Structure formats: structure tokens, C-alpha cells
Amino acid sequence: MKKVLVLGAGRSSQYLIDYLLDISQADQYEVMLTDREKELAAYRVQHHSNGRAIVLDVSNEKERDALIQESDLVISMLPINFHLEVAKACLKYRKNMVTASYVSPEINQLNEEVKRTGLIFLKECGLDPGIDHMSAMSVIDKIRNLGGNLRSFETFTGGLLVPSPDENPWQYKFTWNPRNVVLAGQGGVKFLQEGAFKYIPYHKIFRRTEMVHIPGHGYFEGYANRDSLKYLKLYNLEGIKTMYRGTFRRPGFCRAWDIFVQIGATDDSYMMDNVKEMTHKQFINSFLSYNPYDSVELKLAHYLNLDFDSLEMYKLRWLHLFDEEPVGLEEGTPAQILEHILKKRWTLDANDRDLIVMWHKFEYFEEQQLKVINSYLTAEGENNLKTAMARTVGLPVGIAARLILKGKIGLKGVHIPTKKEIYEPILHELKTLGVEIQEELPRLIKMPGKNL
Amino acid sequence: MKKVLVLGAGRSSQYLIDYLLDISQADQYEVMLTDREKELAAYRVQHHSNGRAIVLDVSNEKERDALIQESDLVISMLPINFHLEVAKACLKYRKNMVTASYVSPEINQLNEEVKRTGLIFLKECGLDPGIDHMSAMSVIDKIRNLGGNLRSFETFTGGLLVPSPDENPWQYKFTWNPRNVVLAGQGGVKFLQEGAFKYIPYHKIFRRTEMVHIPGHGYFEGYANRDSLKYLKLYNLEGIKTMYRGTFRRPGFCRAWDIFVQIGATDDSYMMDNVKEMTHKQFINSFLSYNPYDSVELKLAHYLNLDFDSLEMYKLRWLHLFDEEPVGLEEGTPAQILEHILKKRWTLDANDRDLIVMWHKFEYFEEQQLKVINSYLTAEGENNLKTAMARTVGLPVGIAARLILKGKIGLKGVHIPTKKEIYEPILHELKTLGVEIQEELPRLIKMPGKNL
């Protein structure tokens, strides 16, 4: 009986574990799930006959390595800072590895050695990164096989909420790492549009959005992600005219979020003073000019030229930002304090259902005609534990692990799922599990203008 | 005959050298001026009988140390990155040292050793830093001696131009390090106002200005400098309600400069693409949205909500920013490219005269009455070589060197000119040389409000 070692039983691992256990009888393997908390690992495994819950502090090298040595394949669902060490141990004990995290330059440097050892380290195999690579490359390869010539690729992904009559005017809660949401966009943005390099500084990103309609799901607004240009190489798209990657939010979100950016509330570079005694209102006021007579609310509205009865101001009031409610932190940067305040109202309730939306737009020439294909993926969660995020991150990881164990993937080295040999069987299996990419038929379109 | 070693014969050294040579006969010393370029050092010294022009590459440790050993006092006018090495050599050969540059943490660490060796390293003894410390502390000490209790200190300095009928709508050119001007404000701002800590992110600094009137010189607008709070300690002002440091520009400058900040043209964190073929207009366009039909000028005006006939737009046109004029660089960050473009029109002509403006405002309680004192310094240059900047930086350095050589300053260790023993004789001598701080008489004022 083969053994799959899963490191980390955090929130995103439930669907992965369920998938692995479901097929463990047919495929004949055991699932070893480790976590710092024994109860959590045991809860995920639920006394399944092929499951084993193990308590492990990953920084305990000896225990970790013993488990790696015992296993046939390692899946790491750990925070990204642990991945390099786990990768090195996998190399040492000659074990294949699958993760949903980004390839770091350090892990990339292991490529030759991983290849030489006859292993595969498959990274970025979750949702974003993961299904985005796979669903994009499946259309890009198809266009190429038809003799088409891609000229433009735009792609957006968002972790959102299923619409509800809930009073939350943001129509948003944290469904993924809150810190990353608060810091999103910092460092500015770089992309390629109609052959021209375009740059947006951080403080303008949330006012340079695009509106996208997805059939059956309505409108979404997208803001640009950091560096779209690196995907030219990853997807082998050099020479393309437009390359744009972004993140989806509900329409109106970005304008309200931009208030935090404009006042400096997302800054993570310095510790604020007097945090211990700070209230929500004082937090906001520390970014506004001094005036002994005016209210914080009016000073903010005037500073950013917001109508007092605007939806943006209402969104801030709904977060209790103008209340004398204690922040409740001992210390922190503006970004840490903002995250703490947002968590008070942006944490999923038992009945909240999250929504994943991914959208690609491909423009290409085929026989001198310009055509467009849109493809998209949507996935809805069941509740605050069985989220669409956990499902769309966990399932591709589990499927990839299964394929590697069965010897169905022959590639060696450090990979992301951009090769047909990898993405085709994963997308196929995802479809049988209800995670299906919708692909519209190609349409003829007019050529855009030629100026910049 | 004693020997003063001056390292660096750059633009800011002329007044310093002239001052030292003028008094060299009376005080009986020789001035040794070094520079990488022999001609430049010789030009500054002008065959004066007590002057000696020496060619020196400061990174040549042996030659540099031989000169330091030979001298009685070292003045470094070198770029800041050389100062630590020179300081260490001064310590080794037991020579006093004077500079106009900021004290680095590394130099501060030498304090105990400098003291033990019986030396003084007097730093920040130019204009800003320099005269700002001296003129501020002279009023602060006076208020304290009268039994007054300081509650608020605001201070601004600007390197500007004497008003002229010149067509330059910015009323500004570079009179100091252009790179520092382009990057000014990055990292954001921190200050204390009426007891409340206030923070301004970089992208809002140039829209949070204050207007100040100076008798006989008109209006100036000031934007906040990076960290005002560190002056609480330097000036021993803990417990004060307001501490604000800023930079002066001509009214309207900041709004126009803010355009560069808003579009991201002052970013120094990444290299732009295709710089070699870039024109001014393309530089601006790379920060604007793609649109094949609209002009760059209109796109910019619309993006930042600027009237087409506004003074801000005119200022940009005057810089030829919408012209297809080649930038003329091989590569660069946005900030480097912007600096290069600005230098084309912001470099002093032979007849341009620069203007230094420094302004302090002190509020204090004296016998339960709230009073205010304003003090200010203005200095005008003669032309593009004999600038007010060079004079107000060079003279205090020269005066300090003279005082130390004459044994008039007994302090030991690493110092900045905040102590009366240092600032009083320097300010006195500056006055005789025509650099005089104007101090208004104290006025009674009303107490500001109590809310935040």
C-alpha cells in the first residue's frame, strides 16, 4: 500500500483529504495527515480506515523527515515559508511533491537536481495559481493547434460571496488570507496593452478597474495584479499585444477600498503610535488633517471628495469606522490595524457561501479574421467550512497527486501545470467532480485601433 | 602655521574656501583643498598664498590618510557615503572634523570614542541641516530662559528662485541635488499636531500643504518632511503638542508636482521598458490607460480631473512633456527619467539667482499667556555659480572650523549645532557676513481648540 503524506490540516485541506480518502480504497493507498494540532488532523480524517492523523511540528526536522521517508508522495499545504525545507527533504529522500503555492526562485533552482533524481515537484496546482494556468493553457493550446495566432489575453480571478439579501454593503468577506487582501496591489502594476507597456502606481490601481459581465453571474469589476509581464514567459506568449491579469470584486468595492489606500490605512511599513488606546475613529483620524471643530466623518468626506450619502461612506459606517470602538490591538502597522478592524465584520458566518469566479478572454487571428473566446469558471461554497475556495484549491492538488502516484505524469523537474500532459487529465477529473470551465464559442470581432 | 584640509571642491565649496582664505592671514593657517579634478581645486583657490590645491581620489586610502595626518582639522564636503571612512581616519589621526551632512547611525556610534580621544566631530553644520538647528535652538533656549513653555514648533526651509519675469511657470529650478528633489516625500510623513500623531502617505503629501506669508517675500506653500518626530529628541522637546517640519515651494508648485506623483512618474523601484526609444510624450502615456483615439494630454487631464487650461497643465506643456522629444536615456526608473527630462529646463542659467527661505514658528506659554514668535532667514544668490545655497551651506561650516581651530568650542564627541556654545558664535559671525535671522517680536494669540 502506497502512502501519501499531507503536511498541514488547515482550512483548505478538507476537500483534498476527502478526495484522497474517497479513492484510497480503489487506488490502494494510505493518507497520512499531519498537523500541529492532533484534533484538527483527526477531525479531517474522521476515522477513515485508510487515514492516519499525525501530530507534527514541521520545524521538528527529524520527525518530519521520518514521515517524508516513509511516504511515496508529499503534499505540502503549509505556509509558503516552509516549502523550501520540505522540498529539500523530498529531494533527499527521493519523493515527488505537490503544492498549491507559488514557485519561489529558490525552489526553481532545484529544477536540475529534481530532474536528475527522476522526480517531479508540481507547484502552483491549486486555484490561483493552479486552475488559472490549466484553463488558460487549454484554450491557448487549442487556438495554436487550429493555426490561430493569439494577440491578446486577459484574465481575472476573484474570491467573493454568493449574492445574498445580507445587509453587508461591501458584498465581500475574507475567504482567503486577510493580510494578502489588505496588502493587495502594493508595489504597483505592470502590464502590456496593445503593444504598449503600462504602469499603474499603487494609489491608482483601485480607480483603474475594468467591468466584466459573466453570463448568469452578473457584473464584476477587476483591478490589475502586480506583474502581468512574467506570464509572457510562463505561457510562452512573447510577441502578444495585450497581457493583463487582475482580481475580481463586486462593482463598487474598489472605489470604497480606495479610501483606505488614499488615506494611507493599508501602509505596512511603520508602527503607529498609541495603538493600545486607539479607537476605530481615532485610527481614521490619524490620517486626516487636524481640526478641532469638524467631525472625522466630514473631514474624510471632504478630503477625498466623497458625497456624505455615497455608498462609499455608507460602507465605512457599516464597518463602524467612525465609532469610538476600541481597536483591540497592543501595537501594529496601519495595515495590521485595518485588517483587525475588517475581520470584525468580514469573517464568514456559518451560513455565508463563498463564490469563486475566474474569467479569461482570448483574442486571436485565424485565417485573417480576429476572433474572441471567453472562458470562465464559477464555484459556490456550501457554508463557512465547506468553501468553494477550499474545494478549488484542494481538488486539483489531490488529482495531481493521484496522477503522479499512478505514473500518469511522466514529466520530471520543477513544474507548474501549463503542460497538456498535466492540465488535461486534471481538468477532466475536475469536471467529473463538478468543477467545470465554461467555454464560449469563438466570435468574430473588429480590430481595435492602432494608436497608443 | 595650522592646516585646514577641505575634502571636495564641488559647487557648494566656493564660499567656504573664500571664507577660510580671507581669514587665513589673520588666523595664520593654510587651506589644503582636494578634489579628484586638479583644475577645479586650483580654480577655487585662485593662487592664494595660503591656499594649496591638491588632486586626490578619496578612495585612495594612503594618500587621503597622509593628508589627514598632515592637517589640524578636516572638513568633508564629499558625498555622504564617504563620511564614515573619513571620520574613522580622523579618529585614528586625532583630527577634529566638520561637515554639513546628516549624522548617520554609524557615525553616532563613534561618539564615545571621539569623546575619549578629546575630539569634536561637528556634523549637520550647513543650511538644512545646520542653520535650521541653530536658529531654532536660539529661540527655543531664549523662550526657556524667560520661563516660557513651548507648546508648538513648526519649521520650513526651501531652496527656490528669486522672483523674475522669466517665463518659467513653475518659478522653480534645481538648486540642490535633483535626485533628492524628485524623490522627496517618498516613505510618507509623520508628525505631531495638537497632541495627535498624524500620518500622510506619499501620494497625499503634495495636497496637504500649508500657506505661509513672509514679510517682504510674499507667500510660500509648504509640504511636510518625512519624520518630524525625531526632532522631539534632538531639540529636547518631548511633551510638546505640535512638531512639524516641512519644505517650501512657490504657491501652485505642489499641485503641479502632484501630477507626477499621482501617475507614478516619481517611482524609483523598477526599470521601465523601451526607454531607449521613449519620447517625453510616451513616458507620460505609459502611466495612462490605453486608448487608440484620445490624445495623451486629454487622457492625463481627464485621469486627474484637471482643467485643460489650468496652470498645472500649462506647467507640464512648458516642460515639453507632451512632445515627441526623445528622452535621451538608455535606461532608467520613472524617477530617473523624470529627473532627466526636468533637468532640460530646470537647470540654472547664468543669470538665475536662487533664494533660500527658512521659517520657524514657535508657540509658547509665558505667565499663562499664549504667545507666538516667528523667525525667518532669506538669502539671495548672485548667479548660477555664486548661489545662496552654496553661501548658506559653506559659511557655517567655515565658521565652525575656525572656532574649533581657535579653541573656542570646548565640547567633545559627535555633535550637531544645537548647543548654545556652538550656535551662538556661528550665528553671530553669520550676521556679520550678511546672513541674518529675522526674529519678529512675540505676539499674544488665542488658544486653539481642544478636540482632535
Side-chain angles (χ1 to χ4, degrees), chain A residues 86-264:
Chain A
V86 172
K88 285 181 176 166
C90 286
L91 199 49
K92 184 171 171 193
Y93 301 109
R94 302 181 169 237
K95 309 297 176 184
N96 291 312
M97 179 184 183
V98 181
T99 76
S101 307
Y102 281 102
V103 175
S104 65
E106 293 76 22
I107 288 200
N108 236 340
Q109 278 176 0
L110 301 179
N111 182 35
E112 284 308 317
E113 209 180 334
V114 175
K115 235 186 239 171
R116 235 185 359 255
T117 320
L119 295 172
I120 179 166
F121 286 5
L122 183 55
K123 318 280 296 180
E124 306 191 10
C125 200
L127 169 66
D128 176 9
I131 296 177
D132 59 343
H133 295 322
M134 303 187 236
S135 53
M137 286 311 298
S138 89
V139 176
I140 291 169
D141 283 344
K142 183 156 58 179
I143 288 168
R144 281 180 182 146
N145 288 340
L146 290 168
N149 191 2
L150 197 70
R151 71 174 301 280
S152 167
F153 173 46
E154 292 174 69
T155 172
F156 294 86
T157 302
L160 304 159
L161 294 181
V162 171
S164 86
D166 179 317
E167 44 132 16
N168 178 349
W170 293 83
Q171 294 182 65
Y172 184 82
K173 289 187 176 180
F174 291 126
T175 63
W176 200 236
N177 188 333
R179 181 169 161 82
N180 290 353
V181 173
V182 171
L183 301 181
Q186 295 194 9
V189 152
K190 223 173 164 175
F191 59 92
L192 187 64
Q193 193 163 9
E194 296 302 330
F197 291 100
K198 294 290 184 183
Y199 311 88
I200 311 179
Y202 175 54
H203 57 267
K204 281 291 180 191
I205 289 174
F206 297 96
R207 293 304 300 271
R208 293 273 291 267
T209 58
E210 292 198 20
M211 198 68 88
V212 172
H213 183 262
I214 297 186
H217 290 274
Y219 284 98
F220 298 91
E221 76 185 5
Y223 65 84
N225 289 353
R226 181 153 191 163
D227 185 2
S228 292
L229 302 184
K230 71 172 184 180
Y231 288 82
L232 297 176
K233 207 173 160 205
L234 284 183
Y235 293 179
N236 194 18
L237 300 179
E238 272 106 341
I240 199 177
K241 292 288 182 196
T242 296
M243 174 72 233
Y244 186 102
R245 280 174 57 90
T247 297
F248 270 151
R249 293 285 180 259
R250 292 285 179 189
F253 178 96
C254 291
R255 255 175 196 259
W257 183 260
D258 190 52
I259 295 172
F260 297 132
V261 175
Q262 290 308 314
I263 65 174

Side-chain angles (χ1 to χ4, degrees), chain B residues 186-359:
Chain B
Q186 295 194 10
V189 151
K190 223 172 163 176
F191 59 92
L192 187 63
Q193 195 164 8
E194 296 301 330
F197 292 100
K198 294 289 184 183
Y199 311 89
I200 311 179
Y202 175 55
H203 58 269
K204 281 291 178 190
I205 288 175
F206 297 96
R207 293 305 299 273
R208 292 272 293 266
T209 59
E210 291 197 21
M211 199 68 90
V212 172
H213 183 262
I214 296 185
H217 291 274
Y219 284 97
F220 298 91
E221 74 185 6
Y223 65 84
N225 289 354
R226 181 155 189 157
D227 184 4
S228 292
L229 302 185
K230 72 173 184 182
Y231 289 82
L232 297 177
K233 205 172 162 205
L234 284 182
Y235 292 178
N236 193 17
L237 299 179
E238 273 106 341
I240 199 177
K241 292 288 183 195
T242 296
M243 174 72 232
Y244 184 102
R245 280 174 57 90
T247 297
F248 270 151
R249 293 287 180 256
R250 292 285 179 189
F253 177 96
C254 290
R255 253 173 199 258
W257 183 261
D258 189 52
I259 295 172
F260 298 132
V261 175
Q262 291 307 314
I263 64 174
T266 60
D267 196 321
D268 199 42
S269 70
Y270 66 90
M271 304 300 281
M272 297 189 82
D273 297 271
N274 280 349
V275 176
K276 226 167 159 173
E277 283 102 44
M278 192 183 276
T279 64
H280 292 188
K281 180 173 155 183
Q282 285 163 6
F283 173 66
I284 298 299
N285 195 30
S286 62
F287 304 110
L288 304 177
S289 63
Y290 169 79
N291 184 302
Y293 307 111
D294 297 327
S295 71
V296 170
E297 209 169 333
L298 187 57
K299 284 196 297 183
L300 178 71
H302 177 260
Y303 187 31
L304 300 183
N305 200 18
L306 297 162
D307 284 332
F308 220 59
D309 61 348
S310 62
L311 197 47
E312 288 80 33
M313 287 299 286
Y314 183 73
K315 283 173 175 159
L316 300 191
R317 286 183 203 114
W318 183 85
L319 288 169
H320 298 186
L321 281 172
F322 304 113
D323 295 358
E324 292 284 18
E325 181 180 332
V327 167
L329 280 180
E330 292 293 304
E331 52 168 38
T333 64
Q336 288 166 343
I337 295 169
L338 178 63
E339 178 188 335
H340 188 80
I341 294 173
L342 292 173
K343 276 180 179 162
K344 296 177 186 180
R345 311 220 66 193
W346 277 8
T347 297
L348 292 181
D349 292 331
N351 294 321
D352 281 326
R353 297 169 57 215
D354 73 325
L355 171 69
I356 299 294
V357 182
M358 182 179 287
W359 182 83

Side-chain angles (χ1 to χ4, degrees), chain B residues 125-188:
Chain B
C125 199
L127 170 67
D128 176 9
I131 297 178
D132 58 343
H133 295 322
M134 303 186 236
S135 53
M137 286 311 298
S138 89
V139 177
I140 291 169
D141 283 344
K142 183 155 56 179
I143 289 169
R144 281 181 182 146
N145 288 339
L146 289 169
N149 192 2
L150 197 70
R151 69 175 302 280
S152 166
F153 174 46
E154 292 174 70
T155 172
F156 294 86
T157 301
L160 304 159
L161 294 181
V162 170
S164 86
D166 180 318
E167 44 133 15
N168 178 349
W170 293 83
Q171 295 183 66
Y172 185 82
K173 289 186 177 181
F174 290 126
T175 62
W176 201 237
N177 188 333
R179 182 171 161 80
N180 290 355
V181 174
V182 171
L183 300 183
Q186 295 194 10

